Every structure is written in structure tokens, then in C-alpha cells.
Amino acid sequence: MKIEDFNFAGKKAIVRVDFNVPLDENGNVTDDTRIRGALPTLKKVLSDGGALIMMSHMGKPKGKVNPKLSLSQIVKNVSDALGVDVKFASDCANADKEVAELKAGEALLLENLRFYAEEEGKPVGIDKEDPAYAQAKEEMKKKQKDFAKKLASYADCYVMDAFGTAHRKHASTAVIDEFFDKDHKMLGYLMEKEVDAVHKVLSDIKRPFTAIMGGSKVSTKIGIIENLLDKVDNLILCGGMTYTFSKAQGGKIGKSICEDDKLDVALDVMKKAKEKGVNLVLATDCLAGDDFSNNANTQVCDVKNIPDAWEGMDAGPEARKAFAEAIKAAKTILWNGPAGVFEFDTFAGGSKAIAEAIAEATANGAFSLIGGGDSVSAAKKFFKAEDFTHVSTGGGASLEFIEGKVLPGVAALDEA
Ligand code: AMP
């Protein structure tokens, strides 16, 4: 079912949102992006004349009640954003009374789902090595199903709109849907946007397609890199993984980060790129520092000839130029992972150059998707989300999705 085609009038809808917002030490919300992101779906339920039940996790309470992670702290923020007085149920698994009293046009927020271990469905207090673990896991699976059934019992229909947790098989994201038929479960608007953006980048490609993969390691990105080698015209590999590629080719990399056990992986990527006709763009120069800090002394070095006491911490001027050229020529752009230690302003220039080129290409009509936590922070450090076609809200979820994995939270609903 598509949310746009569903009429919530007279129905109770349970919506899985991602209200895992950051709080300060006094419990005040410091960034309400995620609350605002959920509004299109929440407002659709209310304006159709439905009764809205919201559920979310916050932090990692590991199956225990923890007042510091109570969603009661955000009720006012959600009320202000939605424009209705949101009610609160202080026990998500015992909210029958609050749900029964909920009328059309009203909204109810359930307490943190992860106060129950059943939400994540992992046995607590037992080691994975323990012989009894397998049985505990089996029992927990049954309990997880019961917990999901309880949540489902509150509502006539289910909406999944929490992209950030869509890669997890949790009760509220990927078990609850079993209790609704295909006409009463759907993705929310935020999820639809995420799914459409990744689909555009991976299946409905306008060429040339340039992907930029950065970040610290080859090992965490190799799945995506291999998936992309079959799809892209240009592949820019930057960030910390640059030095694994340099060393693999016999370069001197000083103190730069390197995964010595991935040198063959790097050579294999280079070989595959050649075989597949992919233009692999690796940095030729870097901005090296003599200390891992913002105040380090810097010098531009050849990436294959970095002095012993120095460390490659950002892309150099020649590399930035080559990256920008491959980006500006593209009609489809995907960026995941910064080009340097962007948290230090001194080494943020490479990531800035990438963001700038993507924003320019986007203004000229290219489709751009920025996915993954750190590249989103890097992009937002210099530009507004509106400068790109789509800035993904999920870290781990967007990585796994781009890698081509099926997300449990999407699978059951995509065809529904
Ligand atoms: P990831 O989580 O793999 O996407 O990596 C993101 C992190 O990579 C950021 O915190 C960056 O500071 C870091 N990073 C990027 N380039 C380098 C580099 N040349 N040396 C060390 N860390 C880097």
C-alpha cells in the first residue's frame, strides 16, 4: 500500500518513527531534525482524520528502564512540531487504556521501545559463547513476536518511517508487519524518499555516474565499492583508504593510516576497475600533517612519497581538482565518507571541495545522494541539505542499502 493512497479517516495508525534525537544533560532536545523529518507522515494521518500512535527508540537502554532515555522528555517538542497536544503512554507494552481513549485527530507517543529487550530481540545477560545462548535466543525470538503483536494490537494500520533503523530486524521495524495485511501496512514518506533515492542511484542511472567513497577504511567500504564497480563510470576513492592503495602500489606513506591486511584487496579493486572500464580516481597528492591535530604543521606530499614522521590527512590540491572534474562531469553522484579528517578545519578542504563540486553539479541538474553519517556531517558543515538532491538520514542503514543489501524494515513493505 502507498501512504499517499491510504485514507486514515477513522483509523488508528501506529507509526514507527526515529525520534532518537540528541539531548543535553537537562534533557532538552539539541537537534530536532528527526522530529521534523517525520512530520509529513504524521500530519497525513491526522489531517485524514486518523488517530496517531507514535513509537520510537532512544539511545541504548539495553532492555532496562532508564529515565535519562525516556521519550517523555520530547513530548513538548513533538507537540510543538505537530501542532497538537501529544499524549504520552509511559509503558509501551501496556498502553491499552491510553490507546482506547485516543480519538481521531489526537496523537499519542509511546515510551522508549528499547526499555524492553524484546524490541531488539537479543537475549540479555548471557554471553554468546554460553552453551545456553542458542536456546535463550530462540526464547527471545518468541518473546519478540509477542511484543510486536502487542504493539500491533493498538492499531488498524502500520506505517514504517524510521529509515535509521530499517537495517535492523527489530520488533517495531520488521516483525510487527506480520500482523497487518498488505492493505494496512506501508512505508511513510521519509522512508519512501530514502528508498526512491537509492533506487535512482543504483537502478535508474543517468550517466555519467560518479561515486565518491571516502572515510577511514577500505574494510568497511569494500562491499559498497564492489557493488559500485558494476555500476559507475567514475569511482573516486579518497580519505584514509588512499594510503592502503598507495602502499599496495609500493608507495611510502609515512605515519598515514593503512590496513596492511587489505593491500591485496586494494590491488584487486584496481584490477577489477580496469577490467570493467571504470575510471578509478585515486589521489595523487595529499595534505600531510606532523601531528593528528588541527594545529599540526602541514605540507603537500605525493601520496606515494610521504616523509616518515608525516601523516596524510586530507586530499591535496591536485587530487581535489581531479575529484571536482569527475564530479562536475556527472549526471548521477553518490558520496559516502569524507576525503580527510574533516573534523579538523585544517584538513577539511578536500571534503569541502567535494561538497562544492556536488552542489554545483546538482545546481546544473545532476542527481546527488549523500549517504552515511560522516559525509552528511561533512556536507552540512559547508552547505545546506537543499544544495543536494537527497541527504540520507540513516547512517548504517544507508550504507547497507547502497551496498545492495535487503533492509528488513523495507522488504516486507516495499511490495505491500
Ligand atoms: P568512516 O566512518 O569510515 O566513513 O570514516 C570517517 C572518518 O574517517 C572521519 O572521522 C575522518 O576523520 C576519518 N578520516 C578521513 N580521512 C582520514 C585520514 N586521511 N586519516 C585518518 N582518518 C581519516
Side-chain angles (χ1 to χ4, degrees):
M1 174 54 76
K2 283 250 174 257
I3 184 166
E4 194 55 33
D5 303 330
F6 193 83
N7 187 353
F8 290 94
K11 302 232 166 30
K12 285 197 168 106
I14 189 156
V15 184
R16 175 53 157 107
V17 285
D18 180 1
F19 283 170
N20 184 26
V21 290
L23 302 176
D24 67 16
E25 62 279 9
N26 299 316
N28 299 309
V29 175
T30 54
D31 179 354
D32 69 349
T33 309
R34 286 182 170 157
I35 296 175
R36 284 186 286 110
L39 288 179
T41 294
L42 306 179
K43 285 192 169 164
K44 156 87 170 146
V45 174
L46 293 176
S47 64
D48 274 3
L52 172 66
I53 304 162
M54 294 166 281
M55 57 177 173
S56 176
H57 74 285
M58 178 179 272
K60 294 182 174 160
K62 303 232 157 88
K64 286 208 188 81
V65 174
N66 177 348
K68 286 208 167 109
L69 297 174
S70 171
L71 286 172
S72 61
Q73 300 169 102
I74 69 163
V75 169
K76 186 171 179 317
N77 302 76
V78 182
S79 299
D80 290 347
L82 258 184
V84 298
D85 273 334
V86 172
K87 300 167 196 297
F88 186 68
S90 57
D91 182 345
C92 63
N94 289 290
D96 302 85
K97 187 167 169 289
E98 290 89 342
V99 167
E101 286 167 4
L102 195 70
K103 298 191 193 68
E106 293 184 342
L108 171 72
L109 176 63
L110 305 182
E111 179 58 289
N112 194 343
L113 295 162
R114 289 193 190 163
F115 284 0
Y116 284 87
E118 286 87 340
E119 165 62 0
E120 294 187 75
K122 272 190 245 144
V124 276
I126 178 162
D127 198 81
K128 271 195 178 148
E129 308 302 317
D130 194 313
Y133 184 81
Q135 199 190 336
K137 199 172 157 197
E138 215 35 56
E139 279 166 17
M140 180 46 98
K141 249 181 135 174
K142 282 196 203 106
K143 282 197 195 164
Q144 189 187 43
K145 203 161 181 171
D146 291 344
F147 180 70
K149 191 173 177 184
K150 178 74 199 184
L151 296 171
S153 75
Y154 298 150
D156 307 299
C157 51
Y158 165 66
V159 186
M160 166 62 179
D161 213 15
F163 185 66
T165 47
H167 58 318
R168 308 270 184 232
K169 196 165 170 47
H170 291 172
S172 66
T173 60
V175 183
I176 188 172
D177 53 86
E178 287 175 33
F179 302 99
F180 295 91
D181 66 43
K182 70 175 182 32
D183 296 327
H184 292 87
K185 57 184 172 186
M186 64 211 88
L187 298 176
Y189 288 119
L190 193 66
M191 282 288 297
E192 272 189 359
K193 249 173 71 185
E194 298 278 3
V195 172
D196 286 352
V198 173
H199 177 76
K200 267 219 164 91
V201 155
L202 295 185
S203 322
D204 180 16
I205 307 164
K206 290 209 180 62
R207 296 196 177 274
F209 177 10
T210 296
I212 309 116
M213 287 289 126
S216 52
K217 293 179 178 166
V218 184
S219 51
T220 53
K221 303 282 161 82
I222 188 66
I224 303 190
I225 292 173
E226 290 198 326
N227 189 28
L228 288 174
L229 277 173
D230 286 324
K231 302 188 182 337
V232 296
D233 302 292
N234 305 300
L235 179 60
I236 298 172
L237 295 179
C238 54
M241 68 177 106
T242 306
Y243 311 97
T244 303
F245 280 83
S246 292
K247 188 161 177 182
Q249 296 170 79
K252 255 184 72 202
I253 58 164
K255 281 198 310 175
S256 311
I257 57 167
C258 177
E259 288 172 284
D260 284 321
D261 58 339
K262 293 287 175 292
L263 301 180
D264 52 341
V265 173
L267 292 176
D268 191 49
V269 166
M270 294 179 78
K271 185 166 154 261
K272 281 194 182 135
K274 208 166 178 189
E275 283 166 9
K276 291 174 196 279
V278 171
N279 172 32
L280 190 64
V281 187
L282 284 161
T284 47
D285 62 352
C286 68
L287 186 66
D290 62 353
D291 183 31
F292 195 80
S293 83
N294 196 35
N295 302 322
N297 294 307
T298 61
Q299 63 169 315
V300 173
C301 301
D302 182 321
V303 287
K304 289 187 190 144
N305 196 12
I306 302 172
D308 284 347
W310 293 71
E311 172 172 8
M313 287 167 73
D314 196 7
E318 217 177 79
R320 292 178 198 182
K321 210 166 144 241
F323 295 171
E325 267 167 28
I327 293 166
K328 286 184 200 165
K331 286 271 172 295
T332 303
I333 303 162
L334 169 69
W335 182 21
N336 179 281
V341 188
F342 76 100
E343 296 91 337
F344 301 144
D345 287 346
T346 311
F347 300 102
S351 302
K352 185 177 179 191
I354 288 175
E356 211 160 51
I358 300 178
E360 190 182 318
T362 311
N364 289 329
F367 180 92
S368 58
L369 166 58
I370 304 188
D374 271 327
S375 29
V376 172
S377 319
K380 285 193 176 164
K381 192 164 169 162
F382 310 111
F383 291 91
K384 292 196 284 296
E386 298 79 63
D387 293 322
F388 311 102
T389 316
H390 185 73
V391 178
S392 179
T393 52
S398 46
L399 279 193
E400 290 192 19
F401 205 17
I402 297 165
E403 199 170 328
K405 288 189 183 159
V406 174
L407 303 187
V410 175
L413 300 177
D414 218 8
E415 302 100 47

